[in-house]
Amino acid sequence: MANERIILGIDPGTTIMGFGLIKVVNKKMEFLLLNELLLSKYTDPYIKLQKIFERTIELIDTYHPDEIAIEAPFFGKNVQSMLKLGRAQGVAMAAGLSRQVAITEYEPKKIKMAITGNGNASKEQVAKMLQQLLALKELPKNLDSTDGLAAAVCHFFNSGKPQGTTTYTGWEAFLKNNEGRVVK
């Protein structure tokens, strides 16, 4: 593991995509950025996906993250919502893969557990703990951005090579690990 690296955390969504960046220097976290991409003003779902892709590329090209940590879609009762989240996640992952950035997915419970010690913690509890860990002066109104930051911090706590998650280093690795999903 390098002495210095940047981790981009993403909480994908089709209404709000939250993201955060941390810099790791000699095993110590430094806060870089916390923000969100507001997508509710767009009615076309494909424009939303385009905006997610473009913003993710912009973040990669600006901050040059070494790794991306992304929250995996949770399994709920609403299939349509799950499909939309999966598409948003897939577009963000495609942006990272197009720039050869290693990507690791984390289940929402694993992220909450890493940050608060409780896999069922609320967004507010996660945000407050991040505020303390990273000495944030104030929290944003929407907590989707802190969810993105939480993914990055979870990745840091798991030393970049967590068990029980999936990491891809490029299209070839993704295709190799997902042969059953490829239509020939």
Side-chain angles (χ1 to χ4, degrees):
M1 191 177 308
N3 276 350
E4 190 173 307
R5 62 190 172 124
I6 294 175
I7 303 170
L8 167 61
I10 298 175
D11 176 27
T14 55
T15 304
I16 300 173
M17 178 184 89
F19 55 89
L21 283 141
I22 59 171
K23 185 176 188 178
V24 179
V25 180
N26 295 324
K27 300 182 182 180
K28 186 176 179 201
M29 283 188 296
E30 294 178 13
F31 170 75
L32 290 180
L33 176 71
L34 175 70
N35 210 333
E36 56 199 22
L37 173 63
L38 299 174
L39 299 160
S40 56
K41 60 186 168 195
Y42 304 104
T43 56
D44 185 331
Y46 301 108
I47 295 295
K48 289 181 179 192
L49 296 176
Q50 177 186 1
K51 297 296 180 188
I52 292 167
F53 185 86
E54 289 171 351
R55 184 63 173 130
T56 305
I57 289 289
E58 182 184 340
L59 288 166
I60 292 167
D61 290 349
T62 302
Y63 294 96
H64 308 288
D66 300 288
E67 299 157 311
I68 295 174
I70 191 163
E71 185 173 308
F74 58 92
F75 298 100
K77 293 180 182 177
N78 188 331
V79 176
Q80 287 301 318
S81 293
M82 205 166 66
L83 284 171
K84 289 177 186 176
L85 279 174
R87 287 178 177 164
Q89 183 202 35
V91 167
M93 291 172 73
L97 292 170
S98 75
R99 294 293 199 258
Q100 303 297 310
V101 181
I103 299 169
T104 305
E105 293 179 77
Y106 292 93
E107 297 296 324
K109 282 187 178 269
K110 183 164 183 128
I111 294 172
K112 291 175 181 181
M113 178 65 84
I115 305 304
T116 68
N118 176 2
N120 295 314
S122 68
K123 282 180 173 276
E124 292 79 15
Q125 289 171 315
V126 171
K128 282 290 191 188
M129 186 58 78
L130 287 171
Q131 188 175 26
Q132 289 188 349
L133 285 169
L134 297 167
L136 303 176
K137 289 184 172 99
E138 59 184 64
L139 291 173
K141 184 176 76 168
N142 295 322
L143 298 181
D144 296 274
S145 53
T146 53
D147 286 349
L149 183 62
V153 173
C154 172
H155 189 66
F156 166 73
F157 285 153
N158 284 281
S159 301
K161 296 293 178 192
Q163 294 180 348
T165 59
T166 308
T167 301
Y168 305 112
T169 55
W171 285 113
E172 290 175 13
F174 178 82
L175 292 172
K176 184 178 178 185
N177 289 335
N178 293 280
E179 290 176 356
R181 296 169 67 184
V182 178
V183 179
K184 296 179 183 179

